[in-house]
């Protein structure tokens, strides 16, 4: 399975957990297996979910910091969770260039979000990427 497809499934899983206001790897794996996938094929999926859960406060705090005039509660679930996944990748996945994470996120936003989701997600992630690259210098 392609990483882009796995990101889509991770976004859907995070959206479901976000609506329930309860995040757990166990719930995500149940979702993964419910769709007919084997747990043995879920390493990147688990990495995304676990990475977000373990770093939730830092990731969400950074999103809040850059999303002026948009509280997290006002953001559509799809956009918010796409941003969370890409932010996790930008901050913690050195093997994925930030522009790849942003491009993937924008594509998923265009596919699953509103007409404005692609530009909204791109704007937020561009700011996050700039902050992350400043920290590395």
């Amino acid at each position: 399975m392609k990483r882009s497809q796995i990101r889509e499934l991770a976004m859907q899983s995070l959206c479901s957990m976000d609506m329930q206001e309860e995040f757990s790897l166990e719930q995500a794996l149940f979702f993964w297996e419910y769709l007919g996938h084997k747990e043995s094929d879920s390493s990147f999926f688990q990495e995304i979910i676990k990475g977000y859960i373990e770093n939730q406060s830092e990731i969400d705090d950074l999103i809040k910091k850059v999303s002026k005039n948009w509280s997290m509660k006002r953001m559509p679930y799809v956009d918010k969770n796409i941003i969370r996944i890409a932010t996790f990748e930008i901050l913690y996945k050195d093997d994925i260039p930030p522009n790849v994470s942003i491009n993937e996120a924008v594509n998923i936003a265009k596919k699953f979000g509103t007409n404005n989701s692609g530009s909204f997600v791109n704007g937020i992630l561009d700011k996050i990427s700039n902050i992350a690259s400043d920290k590395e210098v």
Side-chain angles (χ1 to χ4, degrees), residues 68-131:
K68 294 181 175 28
N69 303 322
W70 277 93
S71 71
M72 294 283 281
K73 290 184 180 201
R74 281 188 58 217
M75 287 182 195
Y77 286 106
V78 169
D79 296 357
K80 178 175 30 174
N81 288 291
I82 292 169
I83 293 167
R84 285 172 164 164
I85 291 167
T87 301
F88 162 71
E89 290 183 9
I90 291 167
L91 296 178
Y92 301 103
K93 294 289 294 164
D94 295 335
D95 61 324
I96 302 174
N99 62 324
V100 170
S101 297
I102 293 170
N103 188 49
E104 288 282 328
V106 169
N107 288 338
I108 295 169
K110 288 178 179 177
K111 182 175 179 179
F112 289 94
T114 66
N115 291 338
N116 300 322
S117 291
S119 58
F120 176 71
V121 166
N122 187 58
I124 298 290
L125 292 175
D126 186 52
K127 292 175 187 175
I128 288 171
S129 180
N130 288 335
I131 290 170

Side-chain angles (χ1 to χ4, degrees), residues 10-29 45 49 52-53 77 81 84:
M11 178 272 299
Q12 293 169 346
S13 181
L14 284 175
C15 282
S16 174
M17 290 185 281
D18 195 7
M19 288 178 200
Q20 298 172 38
E21 298 181 358
E22 184 180 329
F23 294 89
S24 76
L25 184 57
E26 294 77 22
Q27 270 188 295
L29 287 174
F45 177 81
I49 301 296
Y52 170 69
I53 292 171
Y77 286 106
N81 288 291
R84 285 172 164 164

Side-chain angles (χ1 to χ4, degrees), residues 3 6 9 12 29 37 40 42 50-52 66 71-72 82 115:
R3 281 188 160 196
I6 293 170
L9 292 172
Q12 293 169 346
L29 287 174
H37 304 293
S40 59
S42 70
K50 189 176 177 188
Y52 170 69
V66 301
S71 71
M72 294 283 281
I82 292 169
N115 291 338

